[in-house]
Amino acid sequence: MTRHIRHSAFFCALLLVALFVNATRIQVFQAASYDENPANRRHTIARYGQPRGDILVGGLPVTGSRDTGEQLRYERTYEDGPLYAPVTGYASQEYGTALLEHSEDSVLSGADPMLSPFPLWNDFTRSQNAGGDVATTLDRAAQQAAYDGLDGRKGAVAAIEPSTGRILALVSTPSYDPAALSGNDSAVGRSWTRLNGDADKPMLNRAVRKTYPPGSTFKVVTAAAALDAGVVKDVDQRTDSPAPYRLPGTTTRLTNESDGCENLSLREAFKWSCNTVFAKLGVRVGVRNMTATAQAFGFNDTALRIPFSVAQSTFDTSVDKAQLALSSIGQYNTRATPLQMAMVSAAVANGGQVRQPYLVERTTRAGGSTVETAGARPLRQAMHPATAARLRELMTEVVTDGTGTNAAIRGATVGGKTGTAQHGLGNSGTPYAWFVSWAQDHRDMEAKVAVAVVVEDAEADRGEISGGGDAAPIARAVMEAVLKSAGGRGR
């Protein structure tokens, strides 16, 4: 009898060892394959089993979570969805995440271990943190002013604070409501198909993900390069600039939109946006110096993130003299996002210094305690401070007495530069209307905002399209909103 008991005990021990070995094999060695198996819905169910953290603008949420009572319990909601879509992106149970919803997903979903004071304990208990919140740098009034100013036309606005790089407005139109993609029913699939098939591309973030020929707004960069290189020593000295200007090595003659540009000084040529003067200046500055200045402003940077990625703005480094002439007036292969051109304007307003733009001020736990703050941003010198001071003068005169008078604000100093960019085969496309600017209240020590506006479908009549007429009023509204907000906070 004892022998049978011994055999049974030994057999039970073998079974226990086998169970232990199998459990170890599954939970340790094969855990990754089970986790990654598409049929495993535990992660998905857990992900949507609690409310998602919120994205905040001005301390108030522009997102939320709705309890559906279904297996994937919580569904994302959006307040003023089209207004903030170029910032929030979408969080979809079917199609994943985009923009801030994507780049800050670990915080918003509660997966970031920094959300817990005891992350190792969470790993042991397999418990999940509540979703954290993401506070943005946006100014509500500026965002609304930009959106209202575009009024549904194709275009974009980017506004930043020159001294810090804080993004104050980021708008792209036409827009869409991210809530249409939140759930997992058949309507979500139809919305996805409709939005992606729309010829106007409402899901394209034109402010940071589309590049345009910047046209005459790029003359700010060319003027900076000419002054820094010593090609121009006196902005009031007449230049040797024929009108029309024959592009080097070609029979092509470059003309101007207005008369009287021949041999104008840099000051007057900037005020009236003379192509011939700036094309020849670019050739005199040369490819190397033009490239160095453009790159100091941020062109050709492949690594810019705010925190989601930004399309690369480009200045062609392998051009002949004729191509360089066109590149120097923002045509040929020169391309820029509206955010990049806001950075150019901000550098002028900030003594020649470029602050890397950013969109997230801080992240917090559900209880409100801070997880991470933005901290100091990288800084680089785009031009000499004396050059920036001179360009501030030139941009101010554009608004007081040139092509940008529609951007003037009572009680503030405003600098600007208009642009009308040709594009399409043989320049057959409707020109883009551009305006870049900065504004400083007379009571402030520094500029509070720099703006770039591009309008794709400005007017039905090509001859009436202009940066000063179509884009400058939008920039003015955004700058006024920021100055009013800044005045209310500071006084």
Side-chain angles (χ1 to χ4, degrees):
M1 184 67 180
T2 304
R3 183 168 59 86
H4 291 301
I5 293 174
R6 244 190 345 262
H7 287 171
S8 297
F10 180 72
F11 182 67
C12 288
L14 282 177
L15 290 177
L16 287 172
V17 170
L19 285 172
F20 178 76
V21 170
N22 189 53
T24 302
R25 176 180 65 86
I26 292 173
Q27 295 187 23
V28 178
F29 297 104
Q30 293 186 343
S33 63
Y34 283 115
D35 271 346
E36 295 167 3
N37 192 313
N40 181 6
R41 288 175 55 82
R42 291 184 62 189
H43 287 300
T44 304
I45 293 170
R47 176 182 176 85
Y48 297 107
Q50 66 177 19
R52 190 170 172 83
D54 284 322
I55 296 172
L56 311 178
V57 177
L60 300 175
V62 296
T63 59
S65 295
R66 183 174 69 89
D67 189 348
T68 65
E70 300 175 356
Q71 188 179 53
L72 302 183
R73 185 172 173 181
Y74 285 94
E75 184 178 292
R76 196 58 151 166
T77 61
Y78 295 88
E79 177 187 327
D80 291 326
L83 174 62
Y84 293 109
V87 174
T88 63
Y90 56 81
S92 171
Q93 295 174 353
E94 287 289 316
Y95 300 106
T97 53
L99 302 181
L100 270 190
E101 293 275 30
H102 179 74
S103 62
E104 299 298 319
D105 181 66
S106 62
V107 171
L108 295 166
S109 67
D112 191 331
M114 293 298 292
L115 293 173
S116 171
F118 307 108
L120 294 178
W121 176 253
N122 280 11
D123 290 343
F124 179 75
T125 61
R126 293 187 177 271
S127 59
Q128 188 171 359
N129 299 311
D133 293 338
V134 175
T136 70
T137 58
L138 293 181
D139 181 302
R140 277 180 172 263
Q143 185 81 0
Q144 190 70 58
Y147 187 79
D148 291 344
L150 285 168
D151 195 25
R153 293 173 293 177
K154 289 183 193 173
V157 178
I160 60 181
E161 186 175 62
S163 61
T164 63
R166 296 171 68 247
I167 296 175
L168 304 175
L170 202 68
V171 169
S172 174
T173 57
S175 189
Y176 71 104
D177 188 353
L181 305 176
S182 291
N184 55 17
D185 57 19
S186 58
V188 171
R190 291 194 297 271
S191 295
W192 179 262
T193 301
R194 173 180 56 79
L195 289 169
N196 281 282
D198 192 324
D200 288 336
K201 298 184 178 179
M203 295 177 70
L204 172 63
N205 189 338
R206 289 172 164 85
V208 296
R209 293 281 174 85
K210 182 173 182 178
T211 60
Y212 301 84
S216 291
T217 60
F218 191 79
K219 290 170 184 174
V220 176
V221 178
T222 303
L227 288 165
D228 271 2
V231 171
V232 174
K233 294 183 173 62
D234 182 354
V235 296
D236 293 307
Q237 183 178 349
R238 288 170 62 84
T239 59
D240 180 16
S241 306
Y245 169 58
R246 185 171 61 83
L247 298 179
T250 75
T251 58
T252 302
R253 293 181 178 274
L254 183 67
T255 59
N256 300 292
E257 291 295 324
S258 57
D259 297 328
C261 284
E262 185 173 359
N263 298 328
L264 277 187
S265 67
L266 179 63
R267 184 188 299 277
E268 293 300 313
F270 192 89
K271 185 188 299 183
W272 301 110
S273 202
C274 294
N275 289 332
T276 51
V277 174
F278 281 91
K280 187 171 182 182
L281 271 183
V283 173
R284 290 181 62 198
V285 171
V287 174
R288 188 178 60 138
N289 286 332
M290 280 296 301
T291 298
T293 300
Q295 292 184 166
F297 277 104
F299 285 80
N300 299 338
D301 182 359
T302 60
L304 180 60
R305 305 185 67 86
I306 61 169
F308 48 80
S309 62
V310 176
Q312 180 187 8
S313 297
T314 56
F315 184 82
D316 199 331
T317 61
S318 56
V319 290
D320 59 27
K321 288 184 177 181
Q323 294 163 342
L324 177 59
L326 295 176
S327 298
S328 300
I329 58 171
Q331 297 289 167
Y332 188 57
N333 287 339
T334 304
R335 308 278 299 188
T337 62
L339 180 63
Q340 173 61 66
M341 294 313 298
M343 291 167 63
V344 169
S345 186
V348 174
N350 195 38
Q353 294 180 332
V354 179
R355 287 281 185 186
Q356 183 172 316
Y358 66 99
L359 189 53
V360 175
E361 194 78 82
R362 65 186 177 280
T363 55
T364 64
R365 298 181 179 90
S369 59
T370 299
V371 175
E372 187 177 12
T373 57
R377 312 302 295 175
L379 177 70
R380 63 175 178 270
Q381 195 73 32
M383 62 191 127
H384 296 309
T387 296
R390 189 65 75 190
L391 280 173
R392 280 176 66 97
E393 290 179 24
L394 300 185
M395 291 183 75
T396 300
E397 290 176 7
V398 168
V399 175
T400 58
D401 193 34
T403 57
T405 55
N406 282 336
I409 299 173
R410 185 184 299 274
T413 300
V414 178
K417 183 69 190 79
T418 56
T420 307
Q422 307 294 331
H423 69 102
L425 185 63
N427 292 333
S428 59
T430 301
Y432 300 137
W434 274 96
F435 193 73
V436 299
S437 59
W438 51 264
Q440 177 177 339
D441 190 284
H442 287 166
R443 295 166 293 183
D444 291 327
M445 297 298 294
E446 60 186 17
K448 294 298 183 183
V449 58
V451 183
V453 177
V454 63
V455 182
E456 293 186 30
D457 49 355
E459 298 277 357
D461 183 356
R462 286 175 61 100
E464 297 300 319
I465 296 173
S466 71
D470 296 292
I474 302 171
R476 181 187 65 230
V478 174
M479 292 186 292
E480 284 179 324
V482 173
L483 292 180
K484 184 176 180 180
S485 297
R489 289 193 299 267
R491 286 181 281 274

